[in-house]
Amino acid sequence: MAENERGIKKVVGLIGVALAVILVALFHVGFASAVEKEERSLDSGIKVVPSAETVWNAIKDRSVDSVLGAPFFRYTMYTDAGGGKSFHSTLIEYPYGSSKRTDSLAAKPAHGIILYVHGYNDYFFQKELAEKADSAGYAFFAIDLHYCGRSLMPGDARGDMRNMREFFAELDYAVELARVITKERADSLPMVLMGHSQGGLLAAFYADQRPEEKFAALVLNSPFFDFNFNWLVRNLAIPVVSEIAMYLPDFSIGSSGNPNYAYSLDKKYYGEWEYNTEWKSESRPEQFLGWVRAIHKAQQELHRGFHINSPTLVMHGDCTEKGEEWSENYMHCGGVLDVEHIEKWAPKVGPNVKTETIAGGLHDLFLSRKAVRDEAYAKAFRFIDESL
């Protein structure tokens, strides 16, 4: 009799555990559905067109950029990103015709617009890139996204986000503002998106969600198509962290990353560039689980396949360096992302993708040694010319 009672209690216990598991699973499914609905609400899939008054006020209030100085201008943009969120971002203009021109391009109107989107732990400071674009015949603009660089406000969590869609409204604004600014020179100019690292992933995600824009071309410089971890972390740990982030998006995981990539760039160490190290620091900004989820969700969509018909160039270096200690390899290899991951996922952008391997390229190809970045410039602008 006692044995039967123990058996019954065991069965009842197992049923209780099973019910508890089912209830937890149902709760998670319901909660996840609500979270994903809220995430999708950040963008309707329809371009947010700023009013003419808003655009002209931004133009009227423009100022010389205090970071790069004349002839660069900056424009302040305020946008609502859905879900009750509003953000402050900054558009930077290099007025067309400001660079030293060749006789063949002198006094000729621009034949396209380039909008540059910076990466994570970054902002726009690449004056040489603007000059190269201008001398190649393109009106050049760049955006400092919200919580980054010129757009960073007191109390902001630098570089943070909860979903990549929250950038779409400010990109809509930047595209419209750049077109209005250049309209005096041409009625309609083709628009090219250029993005680096996280900005490369964002530019592709944005273009995929704005097919009506029919961007003339995309140039993605070492785009953040996958996390630079081993297979187990990428395919098991990151998805689990992404799920946990639904419940704890503001849980801090601190700052991470070694400073070796920064050493390869910064003039104080082994590089040749000067920039604001409060905006582009040696170690990454404080990171939160919500940021990990935001990147993971965007990468998942890419891995399933974007449908970008615009001609797209994906560029990256020819080697990856992951060592914790400084080595000369950091002067000629990618020190942030794995170039093999970039090559693997590039075809998922769309049907018109071309990849280019730049030997000796750093993570940001346009910050590599002069001979290397000159090759990257040449291939990028040749591709844009051919696309237009």
Side-chain angles (χ1 to χ4, degrees):
M1 189 70 175
E3 187 175 337
N4 287 338
E5 287 180 358
R6 285 195 297 270
I8 291 171
K9 287 180 179 180
K10 186 175 181 180
V11 170
V12 170
L14 290 173
I15 292 173
V17 170
L19 287 173
V21 170
I22 291 170
L23 287 174
V24 169
L26 289 173
F27 172 81
H28 178 70
V29 169
F31 185 78
S33 178
V35 169
E36 291 182 0
K37 182 178 179 181
E38 182 180 354
E39 289 173 342
R40 288 193 298 272
S41 74
L42 292 174
D43 181 63
S44 65
I46 300 172
K47 179 180 179 180
V48 179
V49 181
S51 68
E53 180 182 7
T54 299
V55 170
W56 285 112
N57 281 339
I59 293 173
K60 176 172 62 74
D61 295 335
R62 78 175 185 177
S63 59
V64 173
D65 181 48
S66 58
V67 177
L68 296 173
F72 289 88
F73 286 111
R74 69 163 68 184
Y75 303 80
T76 300
M77 304 185 295
Y78 295 96
T79 50
D80 293 321
K85 293 186 176 183
S86 58
F87 295 116
H88 161 253
S89 54
T90 310
L91 185 70
I92 303 96
E93 176 197 12
Y94 186 70
Y96 184 69
S98 296
S99 66
K100 295 179 180 180
R101 317 304 298 278
T102 63
D103 291 339
S104 62
L105 287 173
K108 287 188 177 181
H111 47 262
I113 302 170
I114 291 175
L115 175 63
Y116 175 83
V117 186
H118 64 78
Y120 179 67
N121 184 28
D122 209 351
Y123 71 103
F124 177 71
F125 66 93
Q126 293 91 332
K127 183 177 180 180
E128 183 184 73
L129 173 59
E131 293 170 342
K132 292 284 187 180
D134 183 84
S135 63
Y138 296 94
F140 184 87
F141 296 84
I143 185 172
D144 272 13
L145 300 163
H146 68 261
Y147 297 174
C148 301
R150 299 162 180 83
S151 305
L152 190 66
M153 306 291 282
D156 287 346
R158 182 166 64 90
D160 195 26
M161 64 168 167
R162 292 295 175 268
N163 191 292
M164 289 198 108
R165 287 180 173 85
E166 69 188 42
F167 294 116
F168 287 4
E170 61 207 71
L171 288 173
D172 286 340
Y173 194 163
V175 167
E176 183 69 15
L177 186 54
R179 282 178 170 147
V180 171
I181 291 168
T182 56
K183 195 171 183 180
E184 296 177 3
R185 300 174 178 86
D187 290 335
S188 179
L189 289 174
M191 176 72 68
V192 175
L193 293 180
M194 182 179 286
H196 166 58
S197 195
Q198 180 176 298
L201 175 62
L202 173 58
F205 192 14
Y206 174 68
D208 182 63
Q209 298 295 305
R210 294 292 186 270
E212 73 279 4
E213 287 288 352
K214 297 180 180 177
F215 292 109
L218 275 71
V219 176
L220 308 180
N221 169 6
S222 301
F224 191 4
F225 284 170
D226 211 340
F227 285 94
N228 187 9
F229 297 121
N230 62 44
W231 187 94
L232 283 174
V233 174
R234 295 197 321 273
N235 293 279
L236 295 178
I238 292 295
V240 170
V241 169
S242 182
E243 292 297 296
I244 295 172
M246 287 192 291
Y247 299 94
L248 299 168
D250 300 326
F251 182 85
S252 173
I253 54 177
S255 176
S256 62
N258 68 54
N260 293 325
Y261 175 57
Y263 293 165
S264 73
L265 303 180
D266 196 327
K267 200 171 184 177
K268 296 194 302 291
Y269 300 102
Y270 307 101
E272 58 182 285
W273 307 101
E274 294 181 280
Y275 49 84
N276 186 329
T277 53
E278 294 295 316
W279 293 348
K280 183 179 177 66
S281 53
E282 290 181 7
S283 59
R284 296 170 191 146
E286 182 181 16
Q287 293 177 307
F288 303 88
L289 292 187
W291 177 86
V292 176
R293 176 175 171 80
I295 295 294
H296 177 244
K297 297 298 286 186
Q299 289 177 346
Q300 275 189 316
E301 297 215 28
L302 166 70
H303 296 174
R304 285 191 291 266
F306 288 159
H307 303 89
I308 300 171
N309 290 317
S310 306
T312 301
L313 175 65
V314 176
M315 301 193 299
H316 56 74
D318 64 335
C319 57
T320 303
E321 177 56 47
K322 300 183 181 183
E324 291 295 323
E325 299 298 324
W326 169 260
S327 79
E328 279 299 311
N329 288 342
Y330 276 103
M331 296 302 297
H332 60 83
C333 290
V336 178
L337 301 178
D338 191 315
V339 298
E340 292 184 5
H341 297 163
I342 298 171
E343 185 75 18
K344 173 184 176 180
W345 294 115
K348 290 291 187 176
V349 172
N352 299 309
V353 177
K354 178 181 181 181
T355 60
E356 286 280 6
T357 299
I358 307 297
L362 300 182
H363 175 54
D364 189 337
L365 298 167
F366 298 141
L367 298 181
S368 304
R369 299 187 311 275
K370 186 177 187 310
V372 177
R373 67 179 185 265
D374 281 349
E375 179 186 355
Y377 287 135
K379 289 184 174 179
F381 292 119
R382 186 183 308 121
F383 177 83
I384 297 171
D385 287 343
E386 292 171 352
S387 299
L388 267 59

